[in-house]
Amino acid sequence: MAPRGNLMDYRPDVAVLDCTMRDGGLVNDFFFTDEFVRKLYQADLAAGVDYMEVGYRASKDLFDPEKFGKWKFSTDEDIYSIVGDNNTDLKISIMADVGRCDFKRDIGERSNSPVDLVRIATYINTMPAAIEMIEHCTKMGYETTCNIMAISKAKESDIDAALDMLGRSPVGTFYLVDSYGSLYPEQIRHMALKYLDIADKYGKRVGMHAHNNQQLAFANTIDACAEGVSLLDASMNGMGRGSGNCMMEQIISFLKNPKFKLDPVVKFVQNEMIPLRESGLVWGYDTQHLLTGLLNVHPRAAIKYTKEGRKDCRNFYLELLDDD
């Protein structure tokens, strides 16, 4: 059984992944400056973060490079320009979505890449394609995770089947993903134990990726950790799609492992994240995101509401009820 945690001690198996550039890239279409990325890399190093996710490895045949910053595509060349040979303990990660990445062309041998970990994102109904990607990336020499999205919309029997498929695959980690920010701590604990049961059976680990629609991203992350989940996602100042993610400054301050340092995170938030907000970028909790979380619907409606500058949250709520 996976080791359990408590609020007064730490488990040395717990690792933190910074998803600021990847989930946060959904806020600014991945137009991060090289200076920002270098400072984030240095902050993660100083803070003791275990993985830095530098963006997606999306297909340029499907996404117009003129409309997105380079971290939508996160080529090896662009990553090398930031981290060099990366002779550090900080591992580099990318995410590849099923159906949105030409993985056989764009993900080559690990020995020729600065990337350590490839995270494959999938829905329940595309699990066979996810397994194919996992097998390819493992063969190329990478660590792998599988992030099953939108589980709050899936049948538990389908989740069970998907986890068993993953257990029999070469993937290293399955991720519990609350895509819509709709799950409560009790549900997270239930799902974490389900994931951990299968993970223990096959010798895998489990990760947690939370969204903050109901201001529960931090609570859900530490509850999952207390049950035995060991790879925790967070982003600087919670920057991420819509309501954002668990805040790095929260999770680093919670974990008792002395290798984690809060000061570099707070400094980065002060010097880089607050100016991003002041430039007009919008993320984080708001009523419209609460409503999509409560109703377990995709946040795109709340994101559209925000972009349109609407203030009629009651009308928005009624619209969501009509569409449900």
Side-chain angles (χ1 to χ4, degrees), residues 134-187:
I134 290 165
E135 290 174 344
H136 170 81
C137 293
T138 302
K139 183 179 179 181
M140 293 294 103
Y142 298 94
E143 296 178 38
T144 56
T145 77
C146 186
N147 297 38
I148 308 175
M149 299 181 288
I151 61 163
S152 59
K153 287 287 193 180
K155 296 178 182 177
E156 285 215 26
S157 58
D158 290 339
I159 295 172
D160 292 340
L163 292 175
D164 192 64
M165 289 175 67
L166 287 176
R168 290 182 279 108
S169 81
V171 77
T173 304
F174 336 136
Y175 255 88
L176 171 52
V177 182
D178 184 14
S179 300
Y180 298 167
S182 64
L183 298 176
Y184 295 95
E186 181 178 5
Q187 294 169 296

Side-chain angles (χ1 to χ4, degrees), residues 258-272:
K259 82 163 191 166
F260 294 119
K261 309 296 182 186
L262 180 60
D263 185 63
V265 174
V266 176
K267 180 180 177 181
F268 186 84
V269 169
Q270 171 189 289
N271 294 341
E272 306 302 328

Side-chain angles (χ1 to χ4, degrees), residues 246-303:
C246 177
M247 292 190 182
M248 183 66 73
E249 49 270 40
Q250 288 182 301
I251 202 65
I252 291 294
S253 63
F254 164 77
L255 295 171
K256 301 302 186 286
N257 189 332
K259 82 163 191 166
F260 294 119
K261 309 296 182 186
L262 180 60
D263 185 63
V265 174
V266 176
K267 180 180 177 181
F268 186 84
V269 169
Q270 171 189 289
N271 294 341
E272 306 302 328
M273 303 309 298
I274 292 175
L276 275 187
R277 284 188 181 274
E278 291 174 344
S279 75
L281 292 181
V282 178
W283 71 85
Y285 171 81
D286 214 332
T287 303
Q288 58 268 32
H289 292 295
L290 167 68
L291 294 172
T292 59
L294 285 171
L295 296 174
N296 193 21
V297 297
H298 196 286
R300 65 173 64 90
I303 294 169

